Amino acid sequence: MSCMPLAASTARATPTPALSNPAASPGARALYRYIAGLRGRQTLTGQMESTWDGGPRSELDYIRKCSGKLPALLGLDYIDPADNDHVNDRASRWYLEEGGIATLCWHWGAPDIGPGYENAKKPFDAVAALVPGTPQHRVMLRDMDAIADKLAVLQRRGVPILWRPFHEFTGTWFWWGQHGPAVFRQLWQCMYRHFTVTRGLDNLIWVLGYSHEPDKAYDPGRAFYDIAGADAYVDDHGPLKSLYDRVVAITGPDIPIALHENGPIPDPEQMRASGADWCYFMTWHTKYIKDPAINPPALIRAAYRSPRYATLSDVRRDLPRRR
């Protein structure tokens, strides 16, 4: 298999709330309609997990201790191959048993070096990787297939996933952002084609995750993603309205816009008043949720109890579950 451009007959833009993949599963379609239907009313609360700071439920337990609530959305990461099966199990339990929404990213170590966060920041010849037959192309597809195998397990279990690959691609700290917009667009379309067409993964809602510097030059085309977003680690609890507006200027007003990583939790009243209609926020793990200098417990309690923010109990009640 090669990563040639996706034919126009397969990649076609469709209006919200339809997904970019016309063969998307009923569960993925129901989840996307639910997220799109929150526009102007609510924002989903989200939390990224860690596995090394008290176990993978440490952040969740902390939020429940502070607020009596749990987030609507749980963030997980295919970062350690030894943990990836457990990642799938946690994502499955969160959706199937606890009633929440799961989002997955992939800190993809340079394919010719190996997995892990630090290796994700090392150089990889993505230009050569886009040429069929090269060694770089072979190892790139090898890694894609390994992750596609994991996502296929979730597909068989009936778990729709907010899939956020190549995150923060407008920065240069990860290898996939080190070759400029044209190469990035080809990488994104290559993965989309391989996962959606070649591998037949129909449970993915594709999240295009800009850094804090959105740039239209990196947009791979509306036919290749379903949610766009940005992330920001700032020093206050403002609504990040200017960042929201910069993403909307790229995508247009119809697509859901996510704050896919944050430090301080945005103040819900400021978010409502400003019109920064983020479909979800996802606070990063460890100190970003637990350090009271970043997110004081009283603020966590107030945010999670605000009617502006949807929590796990809201999703459990309102999201249709379809196989």
Side-chain angles (χ1 to χ4, degrees):
M1 180 267 172
S2 65
C3 285
M4 302 302 289
L6 185 59
S9 60
T10 304
R12 55 184 179 85
T14 52
T16 302
L19 287 162
S20 57
N21 178 10
S25 70
R29 293 198 301 269
L31 175 55
Y32 193 53
R33 283 194 297 270
Y34 172 70
I35 292 172
L38 294 173
R39 180 172 299 151
R41 299 188 298 111
Q42 283 188 301
T43 293
L44 295 164
T45 52
Q47 179 59 51
M48 187 71 187
E49 69 165 18
S50 67
T51 58
W52 57 91
D53 185 34
R57 297 214 39 121
S58 176
E59 287 82 5
L60 298 178
D61 291 343
Y62 183 80
I63 291 169
R64 182 158 50 189
K65 179 181 177 181
C66 291
S67 69
K69 303 277 189 176
L70 285 171
L73 182 146
L74 176 64
L76 307 101
D77 190 352
Y78 286 138
I79 192 171
D80 176 7
D83 188 48
N84 286 349
D85 287 338
H86 301 298
V87 166
N88 275 358
D89 291 341
R90 294 195 293 274
S92 299
R93 284 194 299 269
W94 186 250
Y95 178 78
L96 296 171
E97 299 177 19
E98 300 192 58
I101 299 166
T103 181
L104 273 163
C105 68
W106 179 18
H107 278 97
W108 185 359
D112 55 359
I113 298 176
Y117 176 76
E118 292 302 324
N119 286 340
K121 296 188 290 184
K122 293 178 181 177
F124 175 63
D125 191 345
V127 176
L130 291 165
V131 179
T134 63
Q136 294 87 350
H137 186 76
R138 287 193 292 271
V139 294
M140 180 181 72
L141 289 185
R142 176 205 64 203
D143 285 4
M144 281 191 190
D145 275 325
I147 292 300
D149 289 344
K150 301 304 178 186
L151 293 169
V153 171
L154 296 171
Q155 176 177 255
R156 290 192 294 272
R157 293 175 179 174
V159 180
I161 293 295
L162 302 180
W163 175 235
R164 185 174 65 103
F166 300 123
H167 62 286
E168 299 179 339
F169 50 83
T170 43
T172 58
W173 42 92
F174 297 128
W175 65 259
W176 51 84
Q178 294 172 359
H179 298 273
V183 171
F184 169 75
R185 293 194 305 268
Q186 293 177 69
L187 282 170
W188 182 279
Q189 292 172 9
C190 172
M191 178 183 284
Y192 185 100
R193 180 175 188 264
H194 191 62
F195 281 14
T196 302
V197 179
T198 304
R199 294 300 305 267
L201 293 170
D202 63 12
N203 61 326
L204 305 181
I205 296 172
W206 289 74
V207 180
L208 184 71
Y210 289 93
S211 73
H212 63 287
E213 296 182 341
D215 185 341
K216 186 174 179 58
Y218 288 80
D219 188 335
R222 176 62 183 88
F224 296 94
Y225 62 91
D226 307 298
I227 294 172
D231 64 17
Y233 292 81
V234 294
D235 296 326
D236 60 72
H237 296 273
L240 297 165
K241 179 63 160 58
S242 63
L243 182 62
Y244 175 85
D245 288 343
R246 290 172 67 187
V247 181
V248 172
I250 295 170
T251 66
D254 294 331
I255 188 171
I257 307 297
L259 181 60
H260 56 80
E261 291 182 24
N262 62 274
I265 296 172
D267 178 84
E269 180 55 30
Q270 291 186 49
M271 186 179 289
R272 183 201 62 77
S274 72
D277 197 14
W278 301 105
C279 65
Y280 66 80
F281 69 80
M282 187 180 71
T283 308
W284 203 241
H285 52 56
T286 52
K287 71 175 183 179
Y288 291 100
I289 187 64
K290 295 179 180 179
D291 185 345
I294 299 174
N295 280 304
L299 183 144
I300 296 171
R301 177 182 174 86
Y304 270 77
R305 290 177 173 265
S306 167
R308 170 69 201 194
Y309 285 166
T311 62
L312 179 63
S313 59
D314 299 305
V315 177
R316 186 185 294 129
R317 181 190 64 225
D318 297 334
L319 173 62
R321 305 282 159 163
R322 297 177 183 173
R323 298 286 299 210

